[in-house]
Amino acid sequence: MNGTITTWFKDKGFGFIKDENGENRYFHVIKVANPDLIKKDAAVTFEPGTNNKGLSAFAVKVLPESKYIYIAGERIKLTSIKSYVVFSEDVPVESGIDKENAVLSVGVLLNNIRPKAAAKAGEMRSLKKLAITTFQGTTLIFSEDEIDVEATVKMLKV
């Protein structure tokens, strides 16, 4: 299970993890594989459990902070991102998948298997996109058909 350390009492050797269901779980430093990485807001993986006082976590592993972010198969160094912007663009409803550069995503797959209402020729739809510019001058553009734009922006803000 995944979670985030919300509270850490270093002097007492215990803290609390908010799990992926939003519940708080107690953990003790002796149940942590890499205690030197424990800090507030650190991402963790763990095995859920219970003790006599409630929910707990054991086999806790603090995930080291990554210098990279992966977006639709692209590895981008966080410190090389100069700026990013979210925008909308009108595209034809029947725009197909670029077979040469396709990145399979749930959005693309669902759009291809959903029963489609008869699209009129020339009909347009608004497509949300994320453009990331690096200090090296590269601009990468991802559409909501490829990625979850909102979740990706949250990762960029960290």
Side-chain angles (χ1 to χ4, degrees), residues 34-51:
N34 48 355
D36 50 313
L37 297 179
I38 298 174
K39 68 177 188 177
K40 188 176 183 324
D41 296 326
V44 295
T45 60
F46 63 92
E47 293 297 322
T50 56
N51 61 21

Side-chain angles (χ1 to χ4, degrees), residues 5-146:
I5 296 175
T6 56
T7 309
W8 171 235
F9 300 103
K10 185 176 183 174
D11 55 329
K12 297 179 181 172
F14 75 90
F16 293 91
I17 295 170
K18 181 170 277 203
D19 68 21
E20 54 200 39
N21 299 323
E23 297 182 293
N24 286 318
R25 294 180 174 273
Y26 168 87
F27 76 96
H28 194 274
V29 68
I30 62 172
K31 303 288 185 183
V32 180
N34 48 355
D36 50 313
L37 297 179
I38 298 174
K39 68 177 188 177
K40 188 176 183 324
D41 296 326
V44 295
T45 60
F46 63 92
E47 293 297 322
T50 56
N51 61 21
N52 58 353
K53 294 186 179 179
L55 299 175
S56 66
F58 65 95
V60 177
K61 184 161 196 251
V62 181
L63 302 176
E65 291 183 11
S66 176
K67 296 177 185 169
Y68 295 91
I69 186 172
Y70 291 87
I71 305 173
E74 290 285 336
R75 181 176 159 214
I76 304 167
K77 192 170 186 175
L78 287 169
T79 55
S80 72
I81 296 173
K82 181 177 181 181
S83 63
Y84 63 90
V85 64
V86 176
F87 63 97
S88 289
E89 183 176 53
D90 288 337
V91 297
V93 170
E94 285 301 313
S95 60
I97 299 171
D98 180 353
K99 302 286 189 224
E100 295 295 316
N101 300 305
V103 176
L104 290 181
S105 72
V106 174
V108 170
L109 293 172
L110 283 175
N111 284 336
N112 282 330
I113 62 174
R114 273 190 201 119
K116 294 184 173 127
K120 298 171 184 72
E123 193 173 350
M124 303 292 274
R125 69 179 175 119
S126 183
L127 187 65
K128 190 183 291 186
K129 294 188 174 187
L130 170 65
I132 297 174
T133 303
T134 66
F135 285 108
Q136 292 77 20
T138 306
T139 300
L140 303 163
I141 299 176
F142 305 96
S143 76
E144 66 184 335
D145 285 345
E146 298 174 294

